[in-house]
Amino acid sequence: MPVSFAGLWARLPTELKLLVFGCLSLQDAVSFSYVSLPFRLFALHCLRQRLSELLDPYRLDIYATFLALDRCDSVIAGSAALEIVSPSSIVPNNIDFMCPITGTDLFLSFLNHEKYQVFTDPFFGPRSIDDDPGQNAIKTAVTLYRQVDFSTVHVIVSSSSSALAPPFLSHSTFMMNFVSASGFYCCYPVLTGNKEGKSCTSSSFKPLPS
């Protein structure tokens, strides 16, 4: 008697399941979750585990971070969010948090509690955000680091009351991904799943580095 996919999947050891799932893009993970409720719960567990592994080098607990994201209406974006959406061999060397202008102080307080301090460079001054200020909805960027291990995080402050304005106005579709307290999002799942991205300043398509 033929065995169903669900039956074959159930026979696999957990380590192999996690290894297979770790190679899936967010789009494939969503398709996987449609099979059944147990598959959906497993997919959610693996996505949270993937994010937890990205946060671990920065000594940020996933549940405390999710609570801070929820309270401050903030999201995780940048290369860390891209790694969730389209796994690769590239490991982000920092985490970008997008905060609304109204929730930035509270989120910075959360990072201060996690032993992060605001980094200021007396020689170069504040980091340049854009050649055309205001077009990407970014008011400013704050760099913080932990002195004990030199972990670095960035808090990107939106010029509006929404943290989503900067990702949606980014220069590339590669950057239009984010993780909120309620889920994982990709604005261009087909392009990103194919490791392709469209520049928002031209009509050209550029491949995602592998």
Side-chain angles (χ1 to χ4, degrees):
M1 180 180 294
V3 182
S4 67
F5 170 72
L8 292 172
W9 178 261
R11 296 179 182 178
L12 294 176
T14 302
E15 294 81 1
L16 186 54
K17 291 179 183 178
L18 294 173
L19 181 63
V20 171
F21 197 91
C23 300
L24 298 183
S25 67
L26 181 60
Q27 186 178 20
D28 291 335
V30 171
S31 298
F32 177 93
S33 70
Y34 288 155
V35 175
S36 66
L37 180 58
F39 276 52
R40 180 179 178 84
L41 294 176
F42 182 80
L44 182 59
H45 167 76
C46 289
L47 287 172
R48 285 180 175 266
Q49 181 63 28
R50 191 183 297 177
L51 179 60
S52 180
E53 291 172 356
L54 287 174
L55 292 176
D56 185 62
Y58 306 92
R59 303 298 187 268
L60 293 173
D61 176 74
I62 186 172
Y63 296 105
T65 303
F66 267 43
L67 182 60
L69 293 177
D70 183 51
R71 287 179 173 175
C72 305
D73 294 322
S74 301
V75 300
I76 298 173
S79 55
L82 178 59
E83 186 62 23
I84 295 290
V85 170
S86 182
S88 67
S89 59
I90 299 175
V91 179
N93 59 7
N94 58 65
I95 299 288
D96 291 342
F97 295 101
M98 299 283 182
C99 295
I101 193 171
T102 51
T104 302
D105 289 343
L106 184 59
F107 195 80
L108 289 175
S109 295
F110 160 70
L111 291 175
N112 290 154
H113 183 267
E114 299 298 322
K115 311 302 182 184
Y116 278 90
Q117 299 176 342
V118 175
F119 176 75
T120 56
D121 191 324
F123 298 101
F124 297 99
R127 195 157 56 105
S128 176
I129 301 302
D130 200 333
D131 292 335
D132 191 7
Q135 296 304 306
N136 55 10
I138 296 177
K139 180 177 177 60
T140 189
V142 182
T143 299
L144 301 96
Y145 76 104
R146 276 170 48 97
Q147 191 171 13
V148 292
D149 52 17
F150 297 102
S151 299
T152 302
V153 300
H154 298 141
V155 175
I156 313 299
V157 183
S158 171
S159 59
S160 76
S161 59
S162 172
L164 301 183
F168 280 118
L169 292 176
S170 179
H171 63 280
S172 168
T173 60
F174 281 142
M175 308 311 296
M176 296 183 184
N177 314 291
F178 59 91
V179 180
S180 76
S182 58
F184 305 84
Y185 300 87
C186 177
C187 299
Y188 291 87
V190 176
L191 280 177
T192 309
N194 292 333
K195 298 187 182 299
E196 295 178 339
K198 184 176 181 180
S199 171
C200 297
T201 57
S202 69
S203 58
S204 62
F205 285 77
K206 300 179 179 179
L208 182 68
S210 58

